[in-house]
């Protein structure tokens, strides 16, 4: 099963909508982070609403330090990035909570939710 990622940027809201389906491993994660760093068309105070309810996450705890290393490099040009991800799979949710709790990047806020409504509310506050 391949991964599929759809991105749609709403300039008025300053929100990048991301829909992820299929298998997501460290390679896909790194590509997505690099894509943020290389995209100069997005708001420098970006909000991301990522729907990963149809994704199968294959990341391991050992991948987390590399994810943070790549985030620090690629988010230098952002004033702030607020990233809400929606998961329903227990393992993916646990991995996302680990990232949420280990996050020490000043301009990056990350939180995991199980409903779109809760994710939107957090992004707007």
């Amino acid at each position: 099963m391949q991964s599929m990622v759809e991105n749609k940027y709403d300039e008025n809201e300053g929100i990048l909508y991301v829909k992820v389906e299929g298998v997501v491993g460290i390679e896909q994660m790194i590509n997505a982070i690099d894509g943020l760093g290389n995209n100069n068309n997005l708001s420098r105070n970006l909000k991301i609403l990522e729907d990963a309810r149809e994704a199968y996450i294959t990341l391991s705890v050992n991948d987390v330090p590399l994810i943070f290393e790549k985030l620090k490099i690629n988010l230098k040009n952002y004033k702030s990035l607020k990233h809400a991800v929606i998961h329903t799979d227990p393992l993916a949710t646990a991995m996302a909570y680990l990232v949420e709790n280990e996050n020490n990047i000043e301009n990056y806020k990350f939180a995991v939710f199980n409903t779109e409504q809760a994710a939107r509310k957090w992004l707007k506050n």
Side-chain angles (χ1 to χ4, degrees):
M1 179 188 247
Q2 271 191 306
S3 66
M4 187 187 86
V5 179
E6 263 181 54
N7 292 324
K8 188 177 89 184
Y9 181 56
D10 184 322
E11 207 170 315
N12 294 329
E13 291 182 300
I15 296 178
L16 177 64
Y17 292 95
V18 180
K19 173 84 171 149
V20 183
E21 296 177 356
V23 177
V24 176
I26 189 64
E27 186 178 323
Q28 291 81 9
M29 190 72 69
I30 296 304
N31 287 340
I33 295 168
D34 286 344
L36 281 175
N38 295 325
N39 192 331
N40 295 320
N41 298 321
L42 300 172
S43 168
R44 296 298 97 181
N45 290 304
L46 184 63
K47 295 175 183 174
I48 299 174
L49 179 56
E50 178 182 346
D51 183 347
R53 290 177 279 197
E54 302 293 321
Y56 177 72
I57 308 300
T58 62
L59 297 171
S60 80
V61 173
N62 297 332
D63 294 325
V64 174
L66 178 58
I67 291 168
F68 283 124
E69 184 181 312
K70 289 300 246 175
L71 282 168
K72 283 179 186 171
I73 292 166
N74 283 287
L75 299 184
K76 285 181 181 168
N77 294 328
Y78 288 89
K79 290 179 186 168
S80 69
L81 197 149
K82 207 169 179 184
H83 183 177
V85 64
I86 307 165
H87 282 300
T88 52
D89 175 68
L91 197 57
T93 302
M95 184 60 77
Y97 273 126
L98 177 66
V99 171
E100 183 178 337
N101 290 325
E102 295 291 315
N103 180 22
N104 64 356
I105 302 172
E106 196 174 310
N107 64 336
Y108 182 65
K109 303 292 178 239
F110 178 85
V112 61
F113 301 91
N114 64 359
T115 67
E116 185 175 334
Q117 182 181 1
R120 282 182 179 280
K121 184 177 180 183
W122 179 78
L123 282 174
K124 290 182 180 179
N125 289 333

